[in-house]
Amino acid sequence: MNVMNSHFTTNIVIGLLSCLLATAAMTSCDKSTDHQLRQNWKFERYEFADGTTRDIDSVFINFMKGSMSAIFAYGGHPDYIALNGAYSLTGDSIELQFSDETIMHEVWQPLFDRYFGWGSLKHRFRIQSLTSSALVLERGDTTMYMTKH
C-alpha cells in the first residue's frame, strides 16, 4: 500500500509541477509580448482577403503596460485627435478597447470608421507577427500592418 501511495504522490507532484511550468511559460510569453509592444507604432495598412489593401497614413498607436492611445494626425482642425484605451494579451491574441466615448461624436466617428472600421470600441486580434520593428494583427480575413515609429 505504501508503494501505491508513493506512486500516487509522485504523480500528483509531477502533475502540479507540469501545471506550474506551463503557467509560467504562458505568463512569460505574455510578458515578453507586452515588453515588445511597449513602443510607438505607425499604422501602415489593411490587407483584405481579396488581396486589396488600404493604406493608412496618419495613425500612431502607443502601447504601455495595459493602456494605449491612438493619435490621428489628419490635418483638420484640430490637427489631430488622441483617443485613449486599454489592451490585454491572452496567448497569441490582443484585445484593443478604446475607452473614449468622444469618438462616437458625429465629427470623430467618420475618422474612427475610416481608419479602424470596427463598428465598436473593442476588438480582438490574433498577433500574427511581432518583431522589434513590425507588428501584424489579424482578425478574420483582415490583416493590419504596423511599423515601429
Side-chain angles (χ1 to χ4, degrees):
M1 195 71 162
N2 283 340
V3 171
M4 284 185 64
N5 284 341
S6 175
H7 287 300
F8 181 72
T9 303
T10 302
N11 287 339
I12 288 177
V13 169
I14 289 172
L16 289 173
L17 287 174
S18 296
C19 288
L20 287 172
L21 185 60
T23 302
M26 287 188 291
T27 303
S28 68
C29 289
D30 284 353
K31 287 181 181 177
S32 174
T33 301
D34 189 51
H35 181 72
Q36 283 184 287
L37 276 173
R38 287 189 215 165
Q39 54 187 321
N40 293 314
W41 297 93
K42 184 178 184 302
F43 187 6
E44 297 285 339
R45 74 181 186 283
Y46 276 116
E47 186 174 292
F48 303 99
D50 63 3
T52 60
T53 61
R54 184 174 68 188
D55 291 338
I56 305 294
D57 59 355
S58 303
V59 177
F60 303 89
I61 299 177
N62 179 35
F63 295 103
M64 188 191 306
K65 295 182 181 181
S67 66
M68 67 174 202
S69 62
I71 298 172
F72 299 79
Y74 66 96
H77 181 71
D79 307 25
Y80 69 92
I81 58 171
L83 303 174
N84 297 312
Y87 70 94
S88 61
L89 297 167
T90 307
D92 69 345
S93 69
I94 183 171
E95 182 175 86
L96 307 178
Q97 179 169 355
F98 288 99
S99 58
D100 225 333
E101 293 296 326
T102 58
I103 66 172
M104 293 307 171
H105 186 274
E106 64 187 47
V107 174
W108 308 127
Q109 184 67 43
L111 286 171
F112 184 78
D113 290 345
R114 176 178 165 200
Y115 292 118
F116 289 98
W118 298 349
S120 71
L121 297 176
K122 179 166 73 171
H123 256 32
R124 179 167 294 283
F125 298 89
R126 186 178 75 79
I127 300 172
Q128 187 180 66
S129 174
L130 175 60
T131 67
S132 60
S133 60
L135 171 60
V136 181
L137 302 178
E138 178 183 88
R139 183 164 199 265
D141 57 2
T142 303
T143 306
M144 294 171 61
Y145 293 87
M146 297 183 209
T147 56
K148 183 179 174 182
H149 179 68

